[in-house]
Amino acid sequence: MYGNTGEILLVDLSSETLERKKVPEEYYHNYIGGAGLAARLFWDWGDFKAQPLDPGSLLIFMNGPFAGIRLSGCSRGSVAGRSPLTGHWGDSSCGGHFAPELRFAGFDGIVIRGQSHRPCAIVIEPENLRILPADEWWGLGVFETTSRIRAKFGKRAKSLAIGQAGENLVDYACIVNDNHHAFGRAGYGAVMGSKRLKAIIVKSFEQNYHAADPEGLDQLRRSIDLKIRESVTSQVLHENGTAANLEGGVHTGDVPIKNFRSSFWEEMAEALTGSTLSEKYLKNKAACAFCKIACKRVVEINEGPFAIPKGPGPEYETIAAFGSMLGSMDLAATCKAGRLCNDYGMDTITAGSTIAWAMEAFEKSALTLEDTNGLPLKWGDMKTVVDILLPQIAFRNGKLGGLLSLGSHKASLQINKGSGEYLTTSKGLEAPMHDPRGGGHGLALTYSISHRGACHTANPMLFMEMGACYYPEIGFEYELEPMSEENKAESALLAVQLGAIENSSCYCQFADREITIPEWVDLFNFSAGYNWTIENMMSAGLRVFYLQRLLNFRFGLTADDDSISMRLLEPAVDGAPEGVPVEFDSMKKRFYQLARLDEIKGIPDRATLDSLGMSVEASYVWN
Amino acid sequence: MEYWKDQHEPITAFLKLFEKAKEDPELSEGLKKVNQLIWFDYTEDGSDCSFHVDCRNGQVVAKQGKPSEEPDLIMSLSADDAHRSWSNKLNPVMAITRKKIRVKGSATGLLKLAPKLKKVALIYEQALNELNFLDKILK
């Protein structure tokens, strides 16, 4: 097998066994790798009755076929399983250094089931696979855990670790690689915590990648890498990070303010934008493995209430989630909040959004001082967020910490009192910091149809609407107007296929904008030897999209669940999108027709599944 | 060219735009924050069809032609697309993606200007009016 190793590591923590397992070669051709292959393996091996935090649940880490290639953007990995936050199928992606190291150690993925009787860590070294007790790390934050891992296994060892939030089963706990990179969304840190798995450590001895066409791949890799390095996007990201265009986003109405209640705040735009972060706190730039963009920030704040030592800095999502969303323009506070979330191991998007929801609930008396143990929740009060709320959530301390550790959706169901009106979710997952009303109406559609819930990285719709995509070979030549429904369903159908390809090959959405469709096909063929045409590749993307929907159907989701909070659809009250309605229902109806989705079940019809070689899967959902 | 009768017309219009932008406090401040030497290269429509803006050191100076110093940023496009762009009728991200605009150098400074494109378009319209280029105003 080329590119992929063809092997995964199957770990049963209950019986403390580790087993090398071959994956059928056709699975790679049909489901690509990463998120797609994880979905396929769950379909085969998963227990659909197991709750996300049950010992019987599966936690699946999966590489894409490009992991290990010396090319910007292709060193990401996926984690997948039944999400503790949403209760249905989900996955999350992470950059950093773990995925290539796992490939070099001989594995495409790790499938974990069971529950250890004590805190443990999985150690993967070639010819030395083992489960170690990790009692001495339990209770530590991610930074100290990673530091001890490095002390024990050497600096070359790459790790995934959970912090206290994962141990305490916070529903949106994340998994952190090397302190700086996170499988952020949907709560897989809690799944690790439920299995008493504190960390996974991998260390290879040699960096081999067996390409199908080494010469072709090398030539293509160099040419794509050069394009990525020289692109305007890369340069902007390199200079000012992923928040480089936050200021511009405020002016288009893309950046949510005070729980998506406002769409414009000029003063905040300049205070929080990437260039301000560079001027005030940036110490270094950092990168994922082999990436020339280096969009990651390393920051230091020397004084004030939010002082932090030199270390990982916030990305756009964190800055907006702990800045504009909470009515704050204190950039230092976003850095500190992000740093705490990295250490506790919590998703910053859900954490910020859940606190924003709570602030609105408090303002409107759905939450009272009795619920908050006497703590007033006020917009912009970042001292309370940083010093009290985040620790309370991570440790599930008190009534309020316990409530907010559930995420906004479940917290709202718990308190009721009309607080569902303040939600900004789809399928139980908090929307990222891109407001569909200003950022693009197509986002409302793609947030709602995403298998994992409201997510901007599930597919490239955000980039399509801003004008950063042009794929004439597959019919994407639309000049989309963000605040309109025109051609959005048509674009979304391509977006879900491209998103499945991105997330299954585990490619970074920023870097891969420079890759043309024919280059994508060549990358798969030269690396993994899939021998695809453009049509084969797009079919694989569609197959993955459909399989993820079939999984969700088996978890009980239907077409009605392809919905989104009203807050994200109601006309904005200010800024660029003021008063413009989002025609959600007509976009969804059109998408369902184009994607041949059943309007009740929300899954593709039998003939469509048959045409993609999914007849067996169809028999599970169509009688 | 769709909008211009010769290569000098667009440069006249664009220099007028910058002359007026300097008089607007908000745009003038915005331009100073760009803090770069930018060459707007429209030479695909004629060898004299370009101008540069020096926003460094707290000043804004716009002149015809290529700058004598190495520019921090070069924006290469057609004079027609430049006209659409200053009229806020061209999505710059889309234009870059589709290679209508070629960018060399750091575009970070220009991001500071992006939110002000609507205002730039208003002033550009005034500039075209003053030059009696009424037929060129895009509605």
Side-chain angles (χ1 to χ4, degrees):
Chain A
M1 193 173 287
Y2 297 110
N4 302 292
T5 67
E7 278 197 351
I8 56 149
L9 179 64
L10 189 58
V11 182
D12 189 324
L13 292 172
S14 297
S15 60
E16 297 190 347
T17 54
L18 301 107
E19 179 190 352
R20 289 174 184 272
K21 202 158 175 69
K22 297 268 184 213
V23 175
E25 190 161 355
E26 68 266 24
Y27 278 18
Y28 291 91
H29 290 253
N30 288 337
Y31 298 98
I32 307 172
L37 189 54
R40 177 67 238 189
L41 294 181
F42 187 91
W43 183 273
D44 286 358
W45 301 340
D47 176 355
F48 283 82
K49 292 194 179 109
Q51 293 301 308
L53 303 182
D54 285 353
S57 74
L58 287 190
L59 181 66
I60 305 174
F61 293 91
M62 195 59 63
N63 281 351
F66 307 146
I69 299 176
R70 293 181 167 275
L71 172 60
S72 297
C74 72
S75 291
R76 297 182 73 82
S78 277
V79 67
R82 191 171 186 183
S83 158
L85 184 64
T86 66
H88 53 75
W89 183 250
D91 46 50
S92 183
S93 155
C94 175
H97 303 267
F98 189 85
E101 197 68 12
L102 184 64
R103 167 66 39 80
F104 297 142
F107 295 102
D108 293 329
I110 311 166
V111 178
I112 302 162
R113 62 156 48 104
Q115 183 186 54
S116 174
H117 68 281
R118 64 191 294 187
C120 68
I122 297 169
V123 181
I124 302 167
E125 292 174 311
E127 311 308 325
N128 192 8
L129 311 170
R130 57 204 191 275
I131 300 168
L132 291 182
D135 306 73
E136 75 270 26
W137 299 341
W138 201 255
L140 300 178
V142 165
F143 297 155
E144 181 60 25
T145 303
T146 304
S147 166
R148 294 196 190 189
I149 287 170
R150 284 173 177 163
K152 189 176 173 89
F153 294 92
K155 285 187 179 171
R156 277 196 46 248
K158 306 300 176 197
S159 63
L160 299 176
I162 59 168
Q164 296 93 341
E167 294 176 11
N168 293 317
L169 310 182
V170 172
D171 280 343
Y172 45 95
C174 67
I175 302 166
V176 183
N177 166 234
D178 295 353
N179 294 336
H180 204 151
H181 315 271
F183 287 107
R185 307 239 62 196
Y188 296 103
V191 180
M192 272 181 74
S194 73
K195 295 181 179 308
R196 300 198 183 96
L197 176 60
K198 181 69 177 174
I200 305 173
I201 299 124
V202 62
K203 193 173 170 187
S204 69
F205 297 128
E206 50 184 358
Q207 298 196 344
N208 284 335
Y209 183 90
H210 302 288
D213 179 347
E215 237 173 72
L217 180 62
D218 196 48
Q219 216 168 16
L220 182 63
R221 175 186 73 80
R222 286 171 192 276
S223 117
I224 292 175
D225 221 21
L226 185 67
K227 278 202 295 180
I228 291 173
R229 203 167 58 220
E230 292 186 344
S231 80
V232 179
T233 310
S234 301
Q235 290 180 21
V236 165
L237 287 167
H238 177 75
E239 283 182 38
N240 287 322
T242 56
N245 195 35
L246 186 148
E247 193 171 5
V250 170
H251 286 265
T252 59
D254 179 53
V255 182
I257 295 158
K258 286 190 176 179
N259 203 28
F260 287 81
R261 284 199 298 180
S262 167
S263 304
F264 188 65
W265 184 5
E266 191 166 21
E267 203 183 357
M268 171 275 294
E270 191 168 354
L272 297 184
T273 203
S275 57
T276 308
L277 183 71
S278 299
E279 285 158 21
K280 293 176 89 167
Y281 306 125
L282 184 71
K283 289 294 156 194
N284 286 319
K285 293 159 187 169
C288 299
F290 311 129
C291 186
K292 311 293 188 306
I293 300 176
C295 68
K296 305 275 178 173
R297 310 287 93 178
V298 176
V299 301
E300 180 180 38
I301 301 173
N302 292 319
E303 54 190 17
F306 305 115
I308 44 174
K310 187 174 162 186
E315 301 199 23
Y316 167 77
E317 293 292 330
T318 302
I319 292 174
F322 287 114
S324 57
M325 263 294 266
L326 302 184
S328 166
M329 51 182 209
D330 190 328
L331 186 57
T334 72
C335 295
K336 177 81 184 257
R339 185 72 65 84
L340 283 176
C341 283
N342 271 31
D343 199 25
Y344 293 139
M346 287 199 294
D347 176 24
T348 56
I349 298 175
T350 292
S353 297
T354 300
I355 293 170
W357 167 85
M359 285 178 170
E360 184 169 349
F362 187 84
E363 181 186 86
K364 295 179 175 168
S365 303
L367 275 177
T368 63
L369 286 171
E370 194 184 328
D371 299 312
T372 65
N373 202 22
L375 185 72
L377 301 179
K378 293 187 216 151
W379 297 108
D381 179 4
M382 291 308 294
K383 278 288 285 173
T384 295
V385 171
V386 164
D387 294 343
I388 301 173
L389 289 180
L390 289 176
Q392 279 191 357
I393 293 169
F395 290 91
R396 298 182 79 154
N397 276 344
K399 200 172 166 186
L400 184 61
L403 180 74
L404 301 186
S405 74
L406 301 171
S408 61
H409 179 75
K410 280 192 260 185
S412 163
L413 291 175
Q414 193 159 309
I415 68 163
N416 283 317
K417 296 184 186 173
S419 63
E421 286 179 24
Y422 325 140
L423 290 174
T424 59
T425 59
S426 174
K427 297 190 180 79
L429 186 69
E430 288 77 8
M433 301 299 111
H434 297 285
D435 189 332
R437 294 167 301 178
H441 291 189
L443 278 177
L445 175 62
T446 52
Y447 284 174
S448 77
I449 56 175
S450 159
H451 62 282
R452 67 177 74 139
C455 178
H456 61 306
T457 62
N459 56 67
M461 193 62 172
L462 176 69
F463 295 99
M464 287 174 154
E465 293 195 281
M466 71 169 65
C469 298
Y470 182 58
Y471 303 125
E473 300 86 355
I474 56 169
F476 186 78
E477 296 179 88
Y478 303 114
E479 297 189 0
L480 298 178
E481 165 54 47
M483 282 184 270
S484 150
E485 64 171 317
E486 194 181 353
N487 293 320
K488 296 300 168 67
E490 289 79 0
S491 302
L493 184 58
L494 294 170
V496 297
Q497 294 169 72
L498 292 169
I501 292 165
E502 285 176 324
N503 285 301
S504 301
S505 63
C506 303
Y507 217 117
C508 167
Q509 279 204 325
F510 289 120
D512 75 22
R513 296 278 69 80
E514 302 304 317
I515 304 176
T516 66
I517 295 297
E519 285 172 337
W520 269 107
V521 174
D522 285 346
L523 256 184
F524 283 114
N525 292 342
F526 293 163
S527 63
Y530 288 173
N531 293 320
W532 276 348
T533 59
I534 291 174
E535 192 185 358
N536 295 148
M537 182 179 78
M538 297 303 286
S539 291
L542 195 58
R543 195 178 291 113
V544 169
F545 173 69
Y546 284 155
L547 185 69
Q548 291 163 332
R549 293 189 75 82
L550 297 187
L551 286 171
N552 270 345
F553 181 72
R554 292 182 70 183
F555 282 125
L557 269 58
T558 65
D560 284 345
D561 293 292
D562 285 340
S563 60
I564 186 166
S565 296
M566 273 312 294
R567 175 62 58 83
L568 304 176
L569 299 176
E570 59 200 19
V573 297
D574 56 10
E578 182 180 347
V580 182
V582 179
E583 304 295 342
F584 175 75
D585 290 339
S586 57
M587 283 192 294
K588 179 181 168 186
K589 189 173 180 189
R590 175 83 178 131
F591 178 80
Y592 261 55
Q593 287 166 350
L594 293 169
R596 303 185 67 177
L597 298 175
D598 182 86
E599 60 185 29
I600 306 293
K601 290 184 163 188
I603 54 173
D605 60 48
R606 187 160 207 149
T608 302
L609 291 171
D610 287 346
S611 72
L612 288 164
M614 300 174 78
S615 304
V616 175
E617 290 78 9
S619 67
Y620 282 84
V621 292
W622 292 107
N623 295 316
Chain B
M1 288 187 286
E2 186 181 340
Y3 301 110
W4 313 106
K5 70 174 190 221
D6 60 45
Q7 60 171 319
H8 301 293
E9 264 193 357
I11 303 305
T12 305
F14 302 150
L15 288 176
K16 184 75 174 174
L17 161 65
F18 275 85
E19 189 185 308
K20 291 184 70 65
K22 274 197 298 186
E23 293 164 8
D24 181 273
E26 185 191 348
L27 281 185
S28 175
E29 277 312 298
L31 284 165
K32 284 173 190 166
K33 281 183 189 168
V34 172
N35 197 28
Q36 285 182 318
L37 175 61
I38 305 170
W39 180 31
F40 293 97
D41 166 22
Y42 315 129
T43 51
E44 65 186 79
D45 288 318
S47 57
D48 291 336
C49 197
S50 80
F51 75 105
H52 65 272
V53 183
D54 191 347
C55 307
R56 298 171 300 178
N57 308 316
Q59 52 159 12
V60 179
V61 181
K63 287 183 181 168
Q64 186 178 353
K66 188 179 178 180
S68 53
E69 291 176 68
E70 189 67 25
D72 301 303
L73 174 67
I74 304 171
M75 303 270 289
S76 303
L77 60 159
S78 71
D80 280 340
D81 278 334
H83 178 57
R84 291 185 191 98
S85 175
W86 297 123
S87 304
N88 202 24
K89 300 288 184 195
L90 184 77
N91 174 340
V93 177
M94 198 179 288
I96 290 168
T97 303
R98 295 171 191 225
K99 318 288 184 211
K100 286 182 176 178
I101 300 179
R102 279 102 40 214
V103 181
K104 196 172 171 193
S106 168
T108 295
L110 276 189
L111 279 181
K112 290 261 170 209
L113 266 191
K116 309 204 186 300
L117 280 178
K118 270 188 190 164
K119 184 152 199 189
V120 169
L122 285 176
I123 291 182
Y124 183 50
E125 188 175 328
Q126 291 168 13
L128 293 174
N129 262 313
E130 286 179 22
L131 291 167
N132 208 22
F133 284 169
L134 302 180
D135 58 327
K136 302 184 198 304
I137 294 171
L138 299 178
K139 291 293 179 190

